Every structure is written in C-alpha cells, then in structure tokens.
Amino acid sequence: MSRGPAVIITEKDNAARRIAEILSDGTADTERVAGTTVYNWGGNRCIGLSGHVVGVDFPPEYNDWRDVEPVELIDAPIDKQPTQEGIVRALRQLARRASHVTIATDYDREGELIGKEAYELVREVNEDVQIDRVRFSSITDREVTEAFDNPDELDFELAAAGEARQVIDLLWGAALTRFLSLSARQLGDDFISVGRVQGPTLKLIVDREREIEAFDPEDYWELFADLETDEAGGFESQYFYRDEDGNEAERLWDGDRADAVYDALTESETAAVDSVNRRTRTDSPPAPFNTTQFIRAAGSLNYSAQQAMSVAEELYTAGYLTYPRTDNTVYPEDLDPRELLEAFTGDSTFGDDAEGLLAADEIEPTEGDEETTDHPPIHPTGELPSRSELSDDEWEIYELVVRRFFATVADDATWEHLKVVAEIADREVVDGEPPTEDLTLKANGKRLVEAGYHAVYPYFSQSETHVPDVTTGDELAITDTQIEAKQTQPPRRYGQSRLIETMEGLGIGTKSTRHHTIEKLYDRGYLENDPPRPTMLAKAVVEAAEEFADQVVSEEMTAQLEADMEAIAAGEKAYDEVTAESRRLLEDVFDDLTDSREAIGDQIQQSLKADKTLGPCPECGDDLLIRTSRQGSYFIGCNGYPDCEYTLPLPSTGKPLLLDEICEEHELREVKLLAGRKTFVHGCPQCQADAADAEADRVIGNCPECGKEHGGELAIKQLRNGSRLVGCTRYPDCEYSLPLPRRGDIEITDDHCEEHGLPELLVTYEDEDRESWELGCPICNYREYQARQNGSALEAIDGIGEKTAEKLQIAGIEDVAGLKNANPDKLAEEVDGVGVDTVRDWQADAD
DNA sequence: GCAAGGTC
C-alpha cells in the first residue's frame, strides 16, 4: 500500500507555518495546492485553514424575505456549506491520499468545532484514515513537540456544543431580524437586526442612556482653603465634616449652610495642624495583556477598539507580536522573560530599559485572574521591527505592547501618602444657631517614592500632589478661600473599551468578536458618535424586544446558552435536546409577536423618522427631515412633500448626524457631517442657506475648478474670522479660493477679464485720504502675485516670509520700492499681525 | 440583505 503524506491541519496559515518550522527543524518548503499554501517536508504536509471554512445557513429557497414567513425559519432545514472554496478543495485533495491526519486547531471551544469541520471534510473523501487531535496553548518548541508526541482524539461533544450555538444564533437572529425588518418595511440595506450578542450590547447602551435621561441633578457646594506654612510653602486644603455615620464628607447640600461655613472660613486667619498621617502604598505592576485589557490600554491612547485590533493584527502578521485574540492573562511556562528581555538589549529605544530590568536578581512576571488554554497573553515576539518600517500607529501600539511586557516583569512602585488635617477651633458656623463647631480642613498629598514599573510603562498617571511636611500643632496661615457650586453628574456613557470590558464580564461575545459587534451597531444605525450614543431607532428596537422577545436583548440568553453548552460538552445534555428547546422558546416568542406586528412596525418607523427630524418647516410647519436624493446625496426636505416642496441643501462631504443643539432662530437641530478626519459641524442648515444666499448676491462667475462638472460658482465671501476671499459656492466640497485684501470695500465693476471672464474688482475706502485701487480680475491678481513670488524682492527683507509677503501684496505693496514709500501707520493697520515698528524696521532694512 | 464565530 502506498503511503501518502501525514497531514496536519491548523486554524490559520500563520500557525501552520510555525508548526511546520518546529516539526521540520526549519527545513519545510512551501507549495500551492488549489491556491492555498501548504508546508511540505519529508512525508508531511501542513495546511492552515482560515477559521471556519464551512458555515451554517438555510437552503436557497428560504432566501427571499418576502416569500417566507419569518416564523417558518424556526423549523427550516439548516445546511453546512463551504465558505472558503479554495481551502476546502486543497484540504480534500490532501486528505484523499493522506496516511494520517492530525488536527491542530486552537485550543478552545471554537477551535474544537473548526477541527470537527475539518474532520468531516476529510471523512467525505477518506473513510479510513486515522484522525488525531493535538492541543497546545502556545506555539513553542516544547509545547508543540510534546503535543505531537501525545496525540489525543477530537472532542465531539465539545464541538457539538459549538454547533448548538451556531444553530441557535442563526434561528433567533435570522427569524427576528426578518420579522422586525418586514414589519417596519425596512428591506435591502436598511434592515433592522437583532441577535444574541448585539441585542444585549445595545441594551447596555440604551439602559445607560435611560439612566442619564432620568437623572435629576442635585446642587451641592465644596469649600477650599489655601494654607501656608512659614518655611515649607503653600498648599490647597478642602473643608470636610463628619456625617451621621461618622464618615468624612466634603459635599454640603444646603446652600445657606455652605455660605455660612464659607463666611466663617474667610474670617479665620489661621488653622492648627491636628494630625499628620503618613503611609506608604505599594503599587503593583499590571497583569499581562489579554485582548480586552489591550483594547482598554490602546483606548487611553485614543484608538477605537476596531483600530487597536487591526493594528495589532498587522503587527502579529508581520511577526512582531504574538496572537492578539486571547483571553489569557498568565504567561506560559515556556516564556523565559530573561530571554525575551535580552532580545531588546542594544535597541536604541528599548535597550536601556531592558538592560535595567535584566539587572534584577529575580524576574517574576505578574499574573492576571484569567488563565486559559487558547493563546498566550499578547507580548512582543522578540523579533524587533525597525522604526522606519512601521507607520506611526503601528509603532505606538508596538511600543505599548513592549512596555506592557516590560511592566509585567518590573518592580512594584511605591507611593508615599501624606494626609494633613487642620482645625479652626470654636467658630460659630450658622447664624442664630447657638452651637458652635470646629471647622476642619484636610489635604491629601502623594509622592512617587519608587518609580518601579512606571519607569518602563509611562501610560498610567504618575502625577503627584504636593503637601508639605508639617507637624501637629503647627499654625498655618489661611491665605485664600474658595466656594465652588457643583451639581451631581449623571452616570457616564460607556466608552468603547468600557463597553468591551462590560461585555466580557457578562460573557457576551468573544475576544475575537466584541469589537466587531460595536462596529456593527454603528453600521446598522443604532449608534452615533464616540463615546457611542443610541439612536431613537435603537431605543425602539430595544423596547420592542423587551416587550416581546426579552431573551434577545438580555444577557441571560448567553448565560443559559453557556450552561447548555457546558452540559453538552459534559455529555449531560444532547445537542438535539438543547436546540429543540430553543426552537420551542422561539415559537412562544412568535406566538406573541405576530399579533403586534403592525404596532411594532409603526413604532420603529416613527423612531426612524425621529432620527432624521430637524424641526419645523418654515413654510408649512410640518417636520423637516434628512432625505436622500436619487443620486444618493443627502438633503433636507419637508415631511409634507409633495404638498410642500421646501428644501435645504447639505454639503456632499460626509454622512449627516443631527446634534442635540438647536438653532434658536430657526428651531432646527444643528448638523454635523461625519467624514473621518474631515468631519465638521455644518451648524443650522437654515442659517447656512441664508449665508449662501447672501453670497449669491456677490457671485462673480463660474468656479474654474468645479464649475463645468458640478456647477460651482465663485463668490466674494466674508468668513467668520473676519477675513475675506473669493471662494467656491460648493465649499467644503470644493476648496478653490483666491485671497482678497482685508481692508476696504470690494466693488464689482462692469469690466470683465477677457481671459477668465470674471469682473474686475475695485477696492475703495471710506477713509477719504485713502485712494481706491484696481485689484482687477482676482485670478489674474493672484497669478501676478504668484509670478512675483518667484523673484519677489519682498522676501529678501529680514522678517518677511512667504505669508507676510502675500499679505503685503494683497494690500497693494508689490515690491521693496513700494514698501519703502508706504505710510507705516496705514500699512500696519491694513496688514494683520504687523505693527508700526515692524514696518519701520523693514523700511530701514530696505535702505 | 438575517446571527455569531472563526480569520485576512
């Protein structure tokens, strides 16, 4: 019998490459099979999948949403079909001749399912071959060799647990998504989605928004006093008192009382130190990075979750970081921190820190609470990129991960805390109230005594508060007092990283998907802005779900599913039992839903409209809405259309977002245009349209840049900062502009430039002493200016750069002779940021 | 055009 190759299957190409390298001692070659890379040595082949290469779905006859009642999906058949054709073909081709198959997918539940998918593909073409399973949690020599020396079997029960999840997610997600979309008549791109993970995530955000909306702020006051010692300098202290439970309290809830305390404080001249407490606090270095903690740290450097992950994925693919999708916060035994630190010695950025850390007698890395088998925590691989081959973002993230690793092997930091309490004895506090009481002040100082890990990980605050070394009994002078009126604040919105941490805590989503879920909620029109805020649509969907299908927005569905999956994996429940029960529950949901179809649809449609509503139409009083033209551009139109044809334009750059700010004059919500880095606030669209109308009176011709294609026109514009220019009416879509002088009135004459067709402009002055002058055609004027620029003598003068020369030329000073003859006072007045003395200096220099 | 989970 001919012996075919032994085939090893991993979850991704990267893992295949590294395993081939280890098992072949670096001798493996690559070949392409059906377009897929296969690693090849001796009688062995190693192939990497791309995660799931097959997916579950309904058969094609269920594809048309309008033909199939959503409820029918509950009992519809579910197929498994290849989703990565090339890889599936390559796998079949290898499997046909295989003498032995080893499944080496990731060591977690989804990895077991991906392994089973590979197993089934192999079995389709080869009934007899032996199929093993190996498990390792980091791709190191020792772990991989050990795993291949002791192969195990695929855990079909664990894989079945994953299959139950797939089916339940599909049934609930597809049936309810179709139901909501159909009832609100939102088909095509604007469908209304719900699911086991996006539902509860959205509810977290909506619930928080409800708390914020319901929040009733309360007034309170805080009091401060500046204290001064004779020799050690001044510091700030805060008034406090003991509440009923004997705890220190700083907030005064009664304004009259706050005023009385403030008066008493202000009248006092000294306070006596009552106690001085000093204690040292140990500040331990952070645990290794798992995905969630990495996203959080990158978030504090202003990366969105999605951005942080894609940068980390690139650095992983390039070989500089370990796998970025992991739950683990405990380094594997195989990781020798000393060896990894040594990789950094001699490096210009990290060398000194690495050497400093290596000088320690003992290196004991920190450990987090999560210890899992999936992958090691995120750390640098020890292969160093050069600064120039990474983008700024990549470098910043790389440095963060390197420094986090450094921190986990660094020493504790030590802080010294100093608390000083001072008293103003026996002051009468409340007018007319007989009892007197002591006024107490406190100050908390902290000082970083031992920088420890902060020296290599500068991302946490190291700010110190200075409180001088005083002794009990010292008299302190009160040099100033302040009263601050404050209000209690509503809870804060979730930022993306807080949201991901909360999801992790509730067991919603996985390390690989949480950031995608948040992106999805933005895409579906449920979230706007960052930190994310829910739209009216989001609130309506959550409300409808709470009423009829609470499971799909509650985290308990995941908790229940987790419990069921554990039971399947443990052999206590069967896959069929769990999926049948879930189908029954979903049928119950649909029993209630079907009657309310119209009500739910109406509610969602109203919310969709509210998300687009700006305010009253000035013509008919109906609502003005954001609408989309046939060409796909946005504009503002009236809900009363076609009876009312009122419209307002919107810039074509970006996607409009309605703000809460309302224009007082027109009662319309202001508009912001989201366009990545080019995002800008458009403001009240009516005000903008009025301003554009004013400009229209001063239109002088077609825009040379976009006039032919888009009909842009040139107009004389007055900007908010007071300066003027000739600009395109399609700004900001077209940024064509020509400069104009800052002073004087611009008159449009009847003469036209033959070359450009624009009217000649005349600059006149109210000041009768000042003569008017012809600026001419603004394009010619600018061309002349540019021509002069090339050989401009003005810039030869010290202190005149390109910008200043431009300003001078616009003011009619063309050359050094002109500058010499100019009246310094007038010129200084005309040119921004230039004083009389400066002009005189230039004139002296010109001589 | 649905979900959530892999990976790119």
Side-chain angles (χ1 to χ4, degrees):
Chain A
M1 170 181 139
S2 82
R3 301 280 296 171
V7 174
I8 298 163
I9 304 166
T10 69
E11 189 155 323
K12 46 195 161 278
D13 174 67
N14 215 308
R17 201 192 69 239
R18 293 173 56 208
I19 283 164
E21 223 169 79
I22 291 171
L23 296 180
S24 74
D25 253 338
T27 65
D29 286 336
T30 61
E31 61 178 331
R32 302 282 285 179
V33 177
T36 304
T37 306
V38 173
Y39 301 86
N40 180 348
W41 72 101
N44 302 284
R45 300 285 182 279
C46 185
I47 181 173
L49 307 176
S50 183
H52 293 284
V53 292
V54 296
V56 292
D57 209 347
F58 303 108
E61 58 268 31
Y62 289 84
N63 279 356
D64 192 330
W65 293 26
R66 277 160 301 198
D67 275 2
V68 182
E69 277 297 319
V71 68
E72 289 177 44
L73 293 176
I74 302 175
D75 289 313
I78 292 177
D79 293 339
K80 226 183 233 190
Q81 291 293 337
T83 50
Q84 302 276 344
E85 297 281 359
I87 296 174
V88 169
R89 239 180 303 136
L91 181 58
R92 284 191 177 127
Q93 213 167 304
L94 291 181
R96 220 165 262 135
R97 303 171 38 241
S99 62
H100 187 158
V101 171
T102 306
I103 301 210
T105 48
D106 291 355
Y107 188 4
D108 55 18
R109 184 173 56 219
E110 217 60 25
E112 210 65 22
L113 175 53
I114 292 166
K116 191 200 166 192
E117 289 160 4
Y119 176 96
E120 284 174 344
L121 290 167
V122 171
R123 274 284 172 265
E124 278 175 27
V125 296
N126 192 331
E127 285 178 15
D128 308 315
V129 67
Q130 187 183 335
I131 304 176
D132 296 333
R133 160 75 159 141
V134 289
R135 295 187 182 84
F136 43 85
S137 43
S138 66
I139 308 183
T140 58
D141 224 315
R142 192 183 65 96
E143 279 213 42
V144 169
T145 320
E146 213 172 276
F148 278 82
D149 285 345
N150 303 287
D152 197 357
E153 279 170 18
L154 204 59
D155 183 344
F156 289 93
E157 283 170 338
L158 182 56
E163 286 178 309
R165 178 202 61 70
Q166 284 186 319
V167 168
I168 290 169
D169 282 343
L170 175 63
L171 289 175
W172 284 74
L176 289 170
T177 293
R178 287 195 192 183
F179 177 87
L180 289 178
S181 303
L182 285 163
S183 59
R185 292 184 187 73
Q186 290 285 303
L187 298 177
D189 287 345
D190 298 324
F191 65 89
I192 313 260
S193 68
V194 280
R196 176 181 58 84
V197 173
Q198 53 177 288
T201 306
L202 192 56
K203 184 171 150 71
L204 281 175
I205 298 168
V206 169
D207 277 346
R208 179 58 56 89
E209 202 68 17
R210 288 166 170 164
E211 283 176 55
I212 293 170
E213 279 162 16
F215 187 79
D216 195 5
E218 232 178 303
D219 293 321
Y220 69 89
W221 290 262
E222 289 185 332
L223 299 155
F224 302 88
D226 292 347
L227 302 177
E228 203 160 288
T229 59
D230 285 343
E231 58 273 3
F235 60 103
E236 191 181 69
S237 69
Q238 181 168 21
Y239 166 81
F240 75 99
Y241 61 96
R242 297 277 167 190
D243 67 14
E244 297 127 32
D245 305 324
N247 296 319
E248 283 182 13
E250 298 84 28
R251 297 177 175 187
L252 287 161
W253 301 96
D254 177 339
D256 290 342
R257 184 175 162 79
D259 284 340
V261 175
Y262 177 65
D263 289 345
L265 264 184
T266 309
E267 282 163 24
S268 308
E269 278 164 13
T270 59
V273 176
D274 184 52
S275 68
V276 178
N277 267 300
R278 208 181 291 276
R279 64 191 176 88
T280 36
R281 196 175 67 79
T282 305
D283 169 12
S284 305
F289 268 154
N290 63 6
T291 301
T292 302
Q293 291 310 309
F294 161 70
I295 287 174
R296 175 184 173 166
S300 69
L301 298 175
N302 286 324
Y303 288 82
S304 74
Q306 179 71 258
Q307 285 166 339
M309 283 310 286
S310 47
V311 175
E313 279 155 17
E314 275 164 38
L315 291 167
Y316 153 72
T317 314
Y320 302 128
L321 297 184
T322 58
Y323 194 61
R325 298 188 268 260
T326 176
D327 286 324
N328 202 352
T329 54
V330 179
Y331 291 130
E333 272 177 41
D334 273 13
L335 181 88
D336 179 354
R338 234 170 238 288
E339 201 179 305
L340 187 49
L341 281 172
E342 270 156 17
F344 291 93
T345 57
D347 180 78
S348 61
T349 310
F350 303 115
D352 290 351
D353 287 336
E355 278 152 36
L357 292 166
L358 279 165
D361 293 336
E362 204 184 331
I363 294 182
E364 188 62 41
T366 56
E367 294 185 357
D369 297 333
E370 280 286 296
E371 186 167 10
T372 58
T373 58
D374 55 352
H375 298 279
I378 308 169
H379 64 77
T381 55
E383 185 180 336
L384 273 66
S386 69
R387 173 65 190 87
S388 57
E389 71 188 272
L390 299 186
S391 69
D392 289 351
D393 285 356
E394 287 166 344
W395 181 259
E396 195 173 20
I397 292 295
Y398 179 71
E399 179 164 6
L400 171 68
V401 178
V402 171
R403 295 198 170 283
R404 180 64 160 226
F405 163 68
F406 284 179
T408 61
V409 295
D411 289 330
D412 289 343
T414 313
W415 293 85
E416 186 182 79
H417 289 243
L418 177 63
K419 180 174 178 184
V420 172
V421 173
E423 264 181 14
I424 303 162
D426 210 27
R427 293 295 314 197
E428 190 172 314
V429 171
V430 183
D431 233 22
E433 292 282 323
T436 62
E437 76 177 59
D438 294 339
L439 292 186
T440 40
L441 298 168
K442 66 173 176 182
N444 287 301
K446 63 174 184 172
R447 200 162 63 85
L448 188 56
V449 194
E450 294 281 348
Y453 74 91
H454 291 291
V456 295
Y457 191 77
Y459 306 97
F460 291 157
S461 166
Q462 299 169 54
S463 72
E464 303 186 332
T465 314
H466 174 72
V467 168
D469 214 359
V470 294
T471 346
T472 309
D474 282 359
E475 283 276 303
L476 305 173
I478 300 175
T479 55
D480 194 18
T481 52
Q482 300 104 36
I483 181 163
E484 286 182 18
K486 299 187 176 181
Q487 281 194 324
T488 52
Q489 296 295 310
R492 290 158 64 95
R493 293 199 173 88
Y494 288 106
Q496 292 196 17
S497 41
R498 272 291 297 157
L499 193 57
I500 284 178
E501 281 186 280
T502 309
M503 290 169 77
E504 185 186 38
L506 296 169
I508 304 173
T510 72
K511 60 209 173 194
S512 318
T513 59
R514 288 183 195 114
H515 58 286
H516 289 149
T517 301
I518 295 174
E519 282 303 303
K520 190 178 283 181
L521 295 176
Y522 277 103
D523 287 349
R524 300 284 154 85
Y526 292 144
L527 301 181
E528 289 173 333
N529 242 339
D530 190 17
R533 299 180 49 173
T535 58
M536 297 296 283
L537 170 67
K539 292 178 198 169
V541 168
V542 169
E543 270 166 35
E546 282 171 337
E547 193 173 346
F548 298 102
D550 193 42
Q551 294 95 322
V552 86
V553 285
S554 94
E555 71 256 26
E556 284 126 52
M557 182 164 173
T558 290
Q560 180 59 49
L561 183 61
E562 281 293 334
D564 285 340
M565 284 196 287
E566 265 173 47
I568 295 173
E572 290 156 9
K573 273 190 182 177
Y575 162 91
D576 286 336
E577 193 183 336
V578 168
T579 51
E581 168 68 7
S582 187
R583 285 190 163 95
R584 208 184 54 70
L585 282 174
L586 186 54
E587 263 158 16
D588 289 348
V589 165
F590 267 87
D591 283 345
D592 294 342
L593 264 183
T594 314
D595 292 339
S596 311
R597 193 165 182 149
E598 261 177 59
I600 294 170
D602 288 350
Q603 184 59 42
I604 291 175
Q605 282 180 325
Q606 270 182 38
S607 309
L608 276 166
K609 213 180 103 185
D611 281 329
K612 293 192 240 164
T613 301
L614 288 96
C617 170
E619 236 147 65
C620 71
D622 203 339
D623 287 331
L624 285 186
L625 306 171
I626 302 235
R627 292 183 176 280
T628 324
S629 76
R630 262 186 216 156
Q631 291 80 33
S633 58
Y634 298 99
F635 70 98
I636 290 163
C638 183
N639 188 47
Y641 181 85
D643 293 336
C644 173
E645 293 184 343
Y646 193 80
T647 64
L648 288 170
L650 283 174
S652 59
T653 304
K655 185 176 186 292
L657 165 69
L658 294 179
L659 303 175
D660 286 340
E661 285 80 12
I662 290 175
C663 167
E664 282 185 23
E665 194 185 341
H666 304 106
E667 294 173 51
L668 297 179
R669 286 167 76 184
E670 297 195 357
V671 182
K672 186 175 179 178
L673 286 133
L674 301 174
R677 280 173 195 275
K678 288 184 116 184
T679 293
F680 62 97
V681 174
H682 178 62
C684 165
Q686 185 68 63
C687 291
Q688 289 294 331
D690 292 349
D693 283 348
E695 263 166 30
D697 294 341
R698 309 213 74 189
V699 164
I700 57 173
N702 291 329
C703 173
E705 196 134 305
C706 71
K708 282 213 180 89
E709 210 177 331
H710 299 107
E713 293 181 310
L714 291 186
I716 294 171
K717 298 189 179 196
Q718 181 87 39
L719 303 186
R720 275 185 203 164
N721 66 12
S723 65
R724 281 182 308 201
L725 48 77
V726 172
C728 180
T729 48
R730 287 182 60 254
Y731 180 86
D733 296 325
C734 171
E735 291 180 349
Y736 185 86
S737 78
L738 300 164
L740 285 176
R742 201 174 168 81
R743 296 288 164 121
D745 295 325
I746 308 285
E747 268 182 36
I748 303 171
T749 68
D750 290 335
D751 297 328
H752 281 73
C753 166
E754 283 183 15
E755 189 184 348
H756 304 108
L758 298 180
E760 314 251 338
L761 303 180
L762 188 68
V763 185
T764 61
Y765 300 90
E766 279 180 35
D767 176 3
E768 287 175 6
D769 293 347
R770 182 85 208 253
E771 273 185 39
S772 58
W773 55 284
E774 284 176 14
L775 184 143
C777 160
I779 296 182
C780 293
N781 177 56
Y782 188 58
R783 291 256 170 92
E784 282 160 25
Y785 151 71
Q786 279 181 319
R788 283 193 304 272
Q789 270 292 297
N790 294 328
S792 169
L794 277 176
E795 283 184 65
I797 291 173
D798 242 16
I800 301 186
E802 191 185 318
K803 280 265 172 316
T804 313
E806 183 179 343
K807 283 189 204 165
L808 287 171
Q809 283 165 1
I810 295 165
I813 305 294
E814 301 195 354
D815 48 27
V816 178
L819 179 64
K820 263 169 78 177
N821 296 330
N823 175 335
D825 292 295
K826 288 223 165 108
L827 192 58
E829 199 186 310
E830 277 174 37
V831 182
D832 255 9
V834 171
V836 184
D837 290 342
T838 314
V839 177
R840 295 218 170 91
D841 283 349
W842 290 341
Q843 289 177 331
D845 200 33
D847 277 325

